[in-house]
Amino acid sequence: MNVIVANTQQNELSNLDIDIIKSISGVYEAAEIVEMFKSFFYSKMILDVTAIKHYNDLKTYELLIQGLDPEKIIFLLPEGSELCTSNFLSHLISIGIYNFTTNLNGIKFLLKKPNTLKDVEHIRKMAGMENSTETGASVATVTTKVESGTTVIGVRNVTEHAGATTFIYMLKKELAIVYGQDNVIAIEIDKNDFQLFNDKHMVSCKQSEIKNMFQKYSNATIILVDLNGNVEDAFCGEVLYLVEPSTLRLNKVVRRNRNCFSKLVGKKVILNQSLLLNNDVFDFESEAGIKVFYNLPPLDERKRNAIINDFLTKLGLFNKSVKNNSGNKIFGLFRR
């Protein structure tokens, strides 16, 4: 049986269809919550953090987990708040808090499959990559790079025709606006699709030439690599795995290899060209046994898409101050 401690998100939590043994509402000191539940038997506590006084203060969470088991608590964070940033979440992770979300689907997922340190380690890496300096309308610099001095990001299709080529093109366009055209390069291996974009910063090479290409573009800040013509990806600092979640594509890939998704556990999986809603994504994660890093809908590559900026923010290549055309800030450092 579970307990709920709620405040401003009480209405949302009232729609949570789980077994509840006790539910309280209001604002409490961390010590009060500890006192109420330290001797109370429960399976999980769903804790609306706005029910804790000084919930913006990390010391509050330290006090809380001194008296309660953090593995039994799911922290519901107010979406869009300063808590939903990689820096704050990284501090929570450092004190042993791994289970946090911003909505009911996240709660349901964590009730079924709680996070481990491995599941949230990417958030700590993201915090290390962000630069807090802000200049003008936007700023983003990667401070953590691979040994070559360049951040190399590979993209691989898991299902057939998952859209790696166009996906890379859209990422490259947005990254070039912030980092500069000459600082963002896209490379495809044993293919010639990039030439259709008529962009001199999107190039092709053979597998035997990849090392020479990295040397040629060693001054670039970011290199995006289409891995679909290449098995090797050890030269990448990060690899993104694209899945088109249509019934046809999923059934095809599973027929070829029934264990295809087990290999993606702990990887950055992106649902691309996806029409799935939040509940559908939750079902997909449960059935496949993996977590989705981002759910990306079909996009028009001829236009600038705010959702691509949001994705790059979550990936750690933009900080939260990067803006889209309309000047609206792009959030999304933590969503489920």
Side-chain angles (χ1 to χ4, degrees):
M1 300 291 280
N2 306 290
V3 299
I4 289 180
V5 181
N7 184 34
T8 62
Q9 304 187 85
Q10 183 178 11
N11 288 339
E12 183 179 2
L13 287 171
S14 66
N15 296 316
L16 191 61
D17 185 20
I18 61 172
D19 292 330
I20 303 297
I21 192 173
K22 184 174 183 177
S23 179
I24 62 173
S25 178
V27 180
Y28 307 90
E29 295 282 356
E32 292 180 280
I33 297 176
V34 170
E35 188 62 29
M36 280 189 281
F37 292 101
K38 67 180 182 180
S39 300
F40 191 88
F41 177 79
Y42 58 91
S43 298
K44 294 288 183 181
M45 174 187 292
I46 292 86
L47 177 56
D48 171 5
V49 299
T50 65
I52 317 171
K53 288 183 180 178
H54 313 298
Y55 67 85
N56 292 322
D57 189 344
L58 286 164
K59 292 181 180 178
T60 299
Y61 297 87
E62 293 175 1
L63 179 60
L64 191 69
I65 66 171
Q66 285 174 11
L68 299 176
D69 183 356
E71 293 186 3
K72 297 178 68 174
I73 305 175
I74 297 174
F75 293 83
L76 180 61
L77 311 179
E79 186 166 8
S81 70
E82 61 186 45
L83 276 64
C84 299
T85 62
S86 59
N87 282 332
F88 192 90
L89 295 176
S90 178
H91 286 298
L92 292 185
I93 294 166
S94 69
I95 62 174
I97 294 175
Y98 308 148
N99 294 295
F100 37 74
T101 184
T102 58
N103 55 55
L104 297 188
N105 284 333
I107 293 173
K108 292 176 183 177
F109 185 93
L110 293 172
L111 283 170
K112 186 174 182 179
K113 188 177 180 182
N115 283 333
T116 63
L117 176 59
K118 184 177 179 180
D119 295 318
V120 294
E121 186 64 26
H122 67 279
I123 297 175
R124 298 179 69 176
K125 292 179 181 178
M126 195 185 305
M129 293 172 72
E130 289 188 351
N131 189 322
S132 60
T133 305
E134 185 167 341
T135 305
S138 65
V139 60
T141 52
V142 174
T143 56
T144 303
K145 298 183 179 180
V146 294
E147 287 184 2
S148 65
T150 300
T151 297
V152 180
I153 300 173
V155 180
R156 191 186 295 280
N157 287 338
V158 176
T159 56
E160 286 185 354
H161 308 298
T165 300
T166 302
F167 177 64
I168 289 172
Y169 172 65
M170 290 189 290
L171 295 185
K172 189 258 174 198
K173 280 202 306 182
E174 294 303 319
L175 289 165
I177 290 171
V178 173
Y179 290 93
Q181 294 290 338
D182 294 334
N183 292 321
V184 183
I185 303 297
I187 300 174
E188 63 180 351
I189 304 170
D190 287 343
K191 295 170 60 182
N192 292 293
D193 294 335
F194 281 179
Q195 65 182 358
L196 300 175
F197 291 109
N198 296 315
D199 186 330
K200 68 178 183 179
H201 297 102
M202 299 183 71
V203 297
S204 305
C205 73
K206 297 178 181 179
Q207 290 195 32
S208 59
E209 299 171 337
I210 188 67
K211 289 185 178 179
N212 292 334
M213 294 297 282
F214 285 146
Q215 291 177 354
K216 179 178 179 180
Y217 295 107
S218 60
N219 291 327
T221 302
I222 300 173
I223 295 178
L224 305 170
V225 184
D226 186 336
L227 294 170
N228 290 302
N230 189 50
V231 175
E232 177 62 43
D233 59 20
F235 51 77
C236 298
E238 187 77 78
V239 177
L240 310 177
Y241 296 85
L242 299 190
V243 173
E244 182 191 324
S246 67
T247 301
L248 175 64
R249 300 301 183 200
L250 292 176
N251 285 346
K252 265 192 168 185
V253 73
V254 171
R255 282 190 177 186
R256 286 202 309 267
N257 181 0
R258 290 188 175 276
N259 298 317
C260 58
F261 290 118
S262 64
K263 297 178 181 179
L264 299 179
V265 174
K267 308 290 187 182
K268 283 189 171 60
V269 177
I270 293 94
L271 300 185
N272 194 33
Q273 307 175 92
S274 168
L275 297 175
L276 300 187
L277 302 177
N278 285 341
N279 287 337
D280 301 321
V281 174
F282 173 72
D283 290 340
F284 173 82
E285 290 178 317
S286 300
E287 292 174 13
I290 58 176
K291 290 193 175 183
V292 172
F293 181 74
Y294 205 96
N295 183 32
L296 202 65
L299 299 172
D300 185 348
E301 75 275 8
R302 294 167 296 183
K303 300 178 181 178
R304 291 194 66 193
N305 295 282
I307 197 167
I308 293 294
N309 283 350
D310 189 54
F311 171 79
L312 289 168
T313 299
K314 185 172 182 180
L315 192 61
L317 296 176
F318 286 175
N319 70 14
K320 65 178 182 293
S321 63
V322 173
K323 300 179 179 180
N324 63 9
N325 280 348
S326 63
N328 295 323
K329 287 188 177 180
I330 303 300
F331 296 98
L333 283 168
F334 179 78
R335 292 172 190 258
R336 182 179 293 284

